[in-house]
Amino acid sequence: MAKDFNNPMVVDGYDEHIRKLIPGYELIHLQVHALLESYLNEYAHILIVGCGTGYELQYLLEQFPKRTFTAIDPALNMLEKAKNHIQSLALSDRVNFIHGDTSILNSNHEKFDAAIAILVSHFVPIENKATFFQDIADSLNPNGLCISVDLTQISTQDELKVLKNIALKTGLSEKQSQTMIERLERDFHLLSATNLLDLYQQSGLRHNKSFTQILNYYGFIGFKA
């Protein structure tokens, strides 16, 4: 069974666990920060797809004090945790929280200067990924940009071994690391980096490229025009 992001135990332990699970987790956010700082004006409106517990949102709110955000997540418990966390920091006046997946964007008339989906699309079934990226692209302003970071297709047993070994080195136990490997086939829906860039292209995004790679984790950026 896929991990239930509405489960209170999963939600409460998410922030600690993901730092052990994802190599270079803080570096990913630092790179996203640099991209947003380089390409957007100081009053940009940014969409966060899959806001999780609010760590990423808090970081961006603190780094960009004049920007506004819309945060969506299909897991209500995750969204509520993020909302409560941001409220506790007195930062919620610049955030609109919406419960739903990317299909909710079709009924939202707001357009965004950027959309960010960090560690999200690898949970989207392969047959739904094109719609996922299309929904995001359609929500962007004419000069908007999309940034995503995801685990990509694992081709060999050696790649699996490397992922397991780095998880052990970043703090997961042997049991947790083995569970991670088993979940990759059961819970994740992985495409190659080339196929993900093709989905960017098909959604109408242009000048698409990878801006980072850490093992099988790739970051991509594309522009609406």
Side-chain angles (χ1 to χ4, degrees):
M1 181 180 294
K3 180 167 284 191
D4 180 6
F5 289 108
N6 275 307
N7 185 313
M9 291 183 64
V10 172
V11 173
D12 289 343
Y14 180 83
D15 285 331
E16 179 182 358
H17 185 69
I18 199 168
R19 283 165 173 75
K20 299 175 182 178
L21 187 64
I22 309 298
Y25 183 72
E26 278 81 11
L27 177 59
I28 288 170
H29 290 88
L30 184 63
Q31 290 173 307
V32 170
H33 175 189
L35 289 168
L36 295 176
E37 187 171 45
S38 300
Y39 286 110
L40 301 181
N41 68 60
E42 61 180 342
Y43 296 101
H45 187 182
I46 300 171
L47 171 68
I48 309 294
V49 178
C51 67
T53 61
Y55 165 80
E56 172 188 3
L57 182 56
Q58 175 191 346
Y59 176 77
L60 294 176
L61 282 163
E62 292 173 343
Q63 298 302 318
F64 301 119
K66 296 181 180 179
R67 292 181 179 175
T68 55
F69 297 83
T70 292
I72 69 173
D73 202 295
L76 185 58
N77 278 357
M78 278 286 197
L79 189 75
E80 288 298 325
K81 185 175 179 68
K83 187 175 182 178
N84 291 336
H85 177 60
I86 297 303
Q87 285 177 339
S88 74
L89 300 170
L91 294 171
S92 58
D93 60 318
R94 290 191 285 127
V95 187
N96 179 28
F97 290 94
I98 300 175
H99 177 224
D101 59 24
T102 56
S103 66
I104 200 74
L105 298 172
N106 298 320
S107 58
N108 183 352
H109 300 297
E110 287 186 288
K111 297 295 181 182
F112 307 99
D113 300 303
I116 307 170
I118 307 302
L119 306 172
V120 176
S121 81
H122 52 220
F123 292 114
V124 177
I126 289 174
E127 63 271 19
N128 297 335
K129 288 188 193 294
T131 300
F132 173 86
F133 285 108
Q134 189 67 63
D135 289 341
I136 292 173
D138 289 346
S139 76
L140 294 173
N141 282 322
N143 295 315
L145 62 92
C146 174
I147 298 171
S148 65
V149 179
D150 286 295
L151 183 63
T152 62
Q153 199 168 60
I154 297 166
S155 303
T156 68
Q157 288 299 310
D158 284 339
E159 290 178 354
L160 275 178
K161 185 177 180 180
V162 172
L163 284 173
K164 180 178 179 180
N165 282 338
I166 199 166
L168 287 168
K169 295 180 185 303
T170 53
L172 289 189
S173 66
E174 174 66 33
K175 181 179 179 180
Q176 288 173 320
S177 299
Q178 185 58 41
T179 299
M180 175 198 72
I181 296 302
E182 293 169 359
R183 283 191 62 226
L184 290 180
E185 294 184 2
R186 187 177 67 234
D187 299 348
F188 288 61
H189 309 280
L190 305 181
L191 292 176
S192 68
T194 299
N195 287 339
L196 282 170
L197 280 174
D198 286 344
L199 290 180
Y200 264 54
Q201 184 74 21
Q202 292 168 26
S203 71
L205 296 169
R206 300 290 180 262
H207 311 295
N208 309 308
K209 63 180 181 179
S210 171
F211 66 85
T212 192
Q213 178 191 357
I214 304 175
L215 301 180
N216 291 79
Y217 289 90
Y218 279 78
F220 301 100
I221 185 170
F223 297 82
K224 189 71 177 283

